[in-house]
Structure formats: C-alpha cells, structure tokens
Amino acid sequence: MQVFGKRKKKIETQNDTHERHNNVQKEKHTATLPEFTKFEEKKRQQKEKTKKILSGLIFRKSPEAAKETVSVKSLLRSETREVDSIRSDNRELFRKNGDAVDNDIHKCIKIFCKNLIKEADNPMTSIDDLSERTQNFYQLLNKRIDEEPIYREVSPEHKEQLLDYTEKYAITYMYQLLFCPPTTTDEEKDLNIQKRIRQLNWVSAKHVDCRINETSTEIHDLVYAAITELLGMDSAKAPQDKLGCVVRCCSKILSLMQLCVGGPASADDFLPALIFVVLKANPARLKSNINYVTRFCNASRLMSGEGGYYFTNLCCAVSFIENLTAESLNMPEDEFSQYMEGKIVPSNTWESALIMCEGMHLMNENLQKFSDYNIRSDKLDEDAEELRDAMIAFHDEMLQRIDELKQNYPLILKPFREPTDLDADDPCVLDLPPPLSPQVVSEKPKLHEQDSPESPDWRLTPLPDQTLTAVNYDFDLSDLSGGDLSTCEDLGTPGYLSMETASVQSLDLNAYHPTVVMKRVDDVGVSLLDDQPSSGSSLPSPIKPEPSSSYQGFSSQGWQIPSIPCETGAWPLGSDRNHN
Amino acid sequence: MVLRYVEDKFNDQHIQTLQATFLNKKLNIGGKRINLAIWDTAGQERFHALGPIYYRMSNGAILVYDITDEDSFQKVKNWVKELKKMLGSEICLSIAGNKVDLDKERNVPVEVAEEYAKAVGAIHFHTSAKQNLGIEELFLELTQRMMERAQALELQKANELTRTNSMRRNIVIVDEDEPAPPTRSCCGT
Ligand SMILES: Nc1nc2c(ncn2[C@@H]2O[C@H](COP(=O)(O)OP(=O)(O)OP(=O)(O)O)[C@@H](O)[C@H]2O)c(=O)[nH]1
Ligand SMILES: [Mg+2]
C-alpha cells in the first residue's frame, strides 16, 4: 500500500511537468489552429484574473495577505526537489570548505530569498527591482566572500563555485516567482515571437547571409544538435543552466561554421547562422527565457566569457528576427510579402525539411512522452501483476493458515442432529439396559396433563439437562446454521417469542419451561415427551424423577448462573423438534 | 583583425582556433589582473541596428577602417557619434587605420585621420592584420586606458558614495572590437 502511495505522488509530479509542457505546446499551436486561439485567450484571461485577485489580496493585507504568502510558498515548494539535488550535487564543495562556509552561504541564501519573496509580494515592486536586488546581492556576496575571515582559506576557484552555487540555489528556488511573472508581458512577447518565427519559416540560410552548405550529413547533424541544445533552454531552471544551453548551441554553430567556411568563423558568419538556427528551432518561451537570464543571471557572467558573448548574440538574433523586414533580407518588398502570405513556398528540400524541425521536435517530444507513458504503463502492469501475485500469495497463505488453525483446533462438525423420534423403533434403543429402554405409551391424553406446570410430569423431563450439556460444551454450528435458520420464519408464535425474551430478561422460569416448547411441538402435532414421565418411573434413583420442589431449585439456580446461556441450548432443541 | 590578434598573440597553447568571434584574455598590466573580453560583431550592414546590444556594457571600442577605402572612414565617424551618444564620454575609443601594407592605395590621408581621432578623444593606430603590424600595441594601449578610466571612475564613485547600478561595470573590463566595415572587404583584398 505504501509503495502505491509513493508511486502515485511521483506520477503526480510528472503530470505537473507534463502539463506545463502541454501548455507550451498548446501555445505553439495557437497561431495555426484557430480553436486553440480561444484556449489561449482563456488562459491569458485566467492569468489576468489571478493577477487581479492576487493584487486585491495584497491591497487588503491582513489575513488575506497571509493567504497570498501561503500560495507563494506552495509555488516555491514545487522547486524543492530541484533545489535539494543542487545541494547534493555540491556536497563535495562544502565538505572541502567546512561547516562555517556552508552555514554562512546558506544563511545568506535564506535571508536573500526571504527578503526577495517578501518584496515580490508587494505589487509596487517591478521585476526590474527584483533583478536589481538580485544583482546587488551577488555583488555583496562576492565582496563578503572576498573579505570575510571564514572564507580566507577558500581557493579562488572554490569562491567562484560558491557564488555559482548561491545563484543556482536561490534562483532555482524562486523560479516560479521569477520566471515569466504575471506582472510582465513576457508571456505575450513569447507568443508574438513564436508566431512571427512561424510566419518566417520560409526564410532560408541564403536569405540571412548564412553560409551553411547543406551537403554533408555531418553539417546536418550539427544543425540538429544546435537546435536541440537551444530548445533545451526552456527546461533548464537555473540561469546559468539556461546559459549553458545557449553556449552549447553556439559552440555547435561555430564548429558548423568552421566546417562550412573552412577556417575559424568570424562574427560575420556566426550571427547569421545563429539567426538561422533560432528561426528553425522556434524555441518555446524564448523571450521569457532571455529576460529571465538577463535579469537573474549574475551580470558579470553576462558581460564576459563565452556565455556572455553567445547570449548577447542570441539577443541580437532575436532582435533581428523581431525587426526583420524585406530590406534586412535584401529582398524586394513584394516578394517578402508574398512569402509572408504563403504565396511562394521555398523550393529547397533540406530547408523545407528544416521548417518541419519545430514539428519534428514536437513529435520527438511527444514520442519521448509516449515512451515515458509506455514505461509508466509497463510499470503499472508490472505493479498490477505484483499486486495480483501478492493477492494470490496472501490468499494461499490465508488458506494455509486456516488449514493450520483447523489442524491445531479441529472443528469437529457434528452431523446434523437427527431428531430423535422417540416413537420410532430404534434398534439401538432396544439394546438399552432395562431402565433406559423406552416403553411405548399412548400419546394424546398425556399431553393434556402437561398443560399444568404443577403436574409432576414436566419436572421429570431429563431433556433440559441433556440440552445443557450438548450445547454448552461443544458449539454445534451446523445445528445453528441449518436447523435454526430454517425455523426462524416460523418463530412468530407468541410462545416461542416470549420464551426468547423471558430467557434474556426476566429469566422467567415458567416462560422458558420446556412445557412451553412442548406446546409448540404439540402444535405441529408431534409429541416427544409423552412417554417420558412413564419411563421416568423406571429410572434408577439419581435420574428418577422426584416430584419435589428440589428440581425446580436446580433449574432456577441454573438460570442464575450467567456463564451458562441456557437459552442457546433451547434453540437447537426446539428447532430439532420443529423439524419433526 | 581579431583573428590575427587571437592567432598570433594569445593562442600560446597552440590550440587550433575554432572561431574568431570573441576572446577572453587574462592580462597583467601594472600588477593588476585584468580580464579582457574582446567581442567581434557581425559587420554586415543589415546587422548595424544590433550594435547597441553588443556595446551596451562595454568600456572601450576599436573602430577599424580600411585606409584604401574612404567610405569605411566615414563609417568610423558615424560609429564614434553613435557610441558617444549611447555610452557617453566614459567609453575609451581607438581608431585603427588598417591595411597599411597597401599604403600605395591609401585613400584616407594620415593627417585627416589622426586629426579626427584627436578631436574626438580617440587614439589613432596604423595597423596591418596581414603583416601583423601595430595590432598588439593597439589592444594593449586600449586596455591600459580602459583600466585607468575604470580606476578613476571607481575613485570618483567612492568619493561620491553613490550606489548606482552602473557599479556592475567595474567588475570586468569589457572591450568590444567594433570594426567599421571596410567596403572592399567583401571582395577580399
Ligand atoms: N591587405 C590586407 N588585407 C586585409 C588586412 N586585414 C584584413 N584584410 C582583408 O580584408 C578582408 C575583410 O577582413 P575582415 O576581417 O573580414 O573585416 P571585418 O572588419 O571583420 O569586416 P566586417 O565584419 O564586415 O566589419 C579580408 O579579406 C581580409 O583578408 C590587412 O591588414 N591587409
Ligand atoms: Mg567582421
């Protein structure tokens, strides 16, 4: 059961990311599929609504404001797993530099996150303010690491890693808050550029002055690899990880251009190729990603190194695409508009194949997802099988244990108690020694005599005694289930009912008394006790009925002993008789 | 030009250069560690509008013209105007008259160029990427100047105690190579 619970949770989180992916994909479709436009509109409206609600909450402050922080917290909680893995990835770094460094860094992160989240709660704070805060924090931390004595032993390389770690940890933690926040128009810009790139799917490498020659598969593979890396940017969370995707994409482009140009590529070759790749990749949430990196990636990293250079070029490529005109493609105005309206379709096969890159990627993503589902459904099947096996095993074990129990505590099923027809000629009865051998007596007249409890005959009956032993010392279930139930329907007779209540409540002896049962038996028209009194006279002394009150004493005493539920004893007997 | 600088001077590890688009170089000038980042920009005219994205945070620029091409010198003038307008006078400018190996075909008189450079507060250099002339000096001088400018600014800032966001600039010294496109370059001189 526990295993099941865990699995469910895992599936839920997976669904989460899938849902996000789905949304992205839905966005992708909006431009081409009209029915999705509505969906998109709805989504945006919803977002605006939540924005309003959120700001309303904040303006009112007080308990509602507290609610808002709760929602922020739940937003952030979704990143905890990622953050934890960042932490465990860097365990070595902290182990080498000691607990003091560890504590100080995490203290700084905690304070910074707390402050920034608080600040983000304020509707007057813009995303640029948050960005400014973050950049200031990076600088302050840099200074702290350079100056504080705790960090004196830390090597410059580790200092750099600590800064990286802090950035990665803190920003990933607040990802939901800082990426494409509802206070910005980032999402709208994403959709716009996505739509525009889709409109520009006819743009060829030649159009943008890109010297990609498409002949070799090696070059094709590099183009695909670059596109894949660029598309990976959306799924990375930490700013430097997103930047890493850009770097890998651009390195691929540079090696590609080196192949095409036949020497080290210059910026003149690189930028057009990057533009080409961006056009063919049409990455999801491009603007959001760029803005996020610009705002929250350590600015010093964006100004130097390959990351900074490549990222700047990516910004240039995006800006070029946004402002692309016929002139920037060196193309006559009317040809451009014809392309834009889809009146001319590019002829180049490889390029048109690349147009499908977006679709291909989508398909690949979906395939990936399907294989994921496949794995999960296989796992589900496996688990189901496991569960089934467990159930079977459980069942078998249960049976086995029941058998064991049966062996240890054998349940002796007594045969259905054959109602003794005392009138019948039983051969065994004939073998009985003389005092016990039954004697045939006339039936009816005696019955009437029994009507009176005062009559000595009823006191003679050894039957109650017999029943007591029979019922109390071995629980004869078959009797109850078989005989008793079948008679339940005809228990409506007042005499029988009164007997039941009497035995439970007042223990009225008279009410219980076998004579009452007798009456019922009589109703059925069978008499069993008729011959008893007469046989009693020939019984040996202890069994011999004594017409005294002493017997009554016994029976009243017996009823006062609670541990002997005499009434249970009466049932099978009664029912047995009824059977007759 | 970047290629020349990259290949001849800084590629001491003899790694085959894959690209000549940017270069990071750690220099030690006057006992100070300096991280020099040289960024090349795409020279095509259609990308001219993207300039601001490249030079946004830069501390210096090298503007290159082709001495055989009068037009390219005109473009340098435009760049100077744009950079001064966008980045203020804080930016360190160097103007390089390239292809001095083709001095016979010179179309931009030395005096005109040097005078112009002086007028706008830039330093003029005569270079040849082909013959590797004056290039190292060009980069070194600019780096030094940017460093001095940065230190002066830092001092000034410390005195004023103003905490503006331009603080970021002091973390690294970024230099961008902004070659004004020599018109004949496309044909390959
Ligand atoms: N003779 C001679 N040719 C040179 C020299 N420097 C560059 N060239 C040639 O000029 C042409 C253009 O050089 P690039 O380095 O591409 O020029 P660029 O400044 O990057 O041009 P844009 O990127 O368009 O601004 C190439 O064919 C070079 O071989 C030089 O010093 N002497
Ligand atoms: Mg160039």
Side-chain angles (χ1 to χ4, degrees), chain A residues 28-62:
Chain A
K28 275 189 176 181
H29 281 293
T30 40
T32 38
L33 304 172
E35 63 263 44
F36 272 114
T37 326
K38 259 187 198 156
F39 169 82
E40 194 44 56
E41 194 56 40
K42 214 168 171 184
K43 199 186 151 212
R44 205 174 315 154
Q45 276 169 0
Q46 231 164 18
K47 204 161 188 181
E48 251 148 50
K49 215 157 125 196
T50 42
K51 212 197 296 180
K52 266 182 212 151
I53 292 166
L54 286 186
S55 58
L57 286 175
I58 296 153
F59 277 127
R60 265 183 272 137
K61 278 288 170 197
S62 69

Side-chain angles (χ1 to χ4, degrees), chain A residues 199-205 207 280 335 338-340 342-355:
Chain A
Q199 278 178 336
L200 291 170
N201 64 13
W202 50 269
V203 174
S204 69
H207 286 131
K280 296 309 164 193
E335 195 186 339
Q338 272 179 320
Y339 268 121
M340 286 304 262
K343 284 179 187 156
I344 321 175
V345 182
S347 53
N348 184 315
T349 46
W350 184 63
E351 301 242 345
S352 30
L354 264 186
I355 290 168

Side-chain angles (χ1 to χ4, degrees), chain A residues 75 364 509 529:
Chain A
L75 251 180
N364 278 335
L509 229 134
L529 293 176

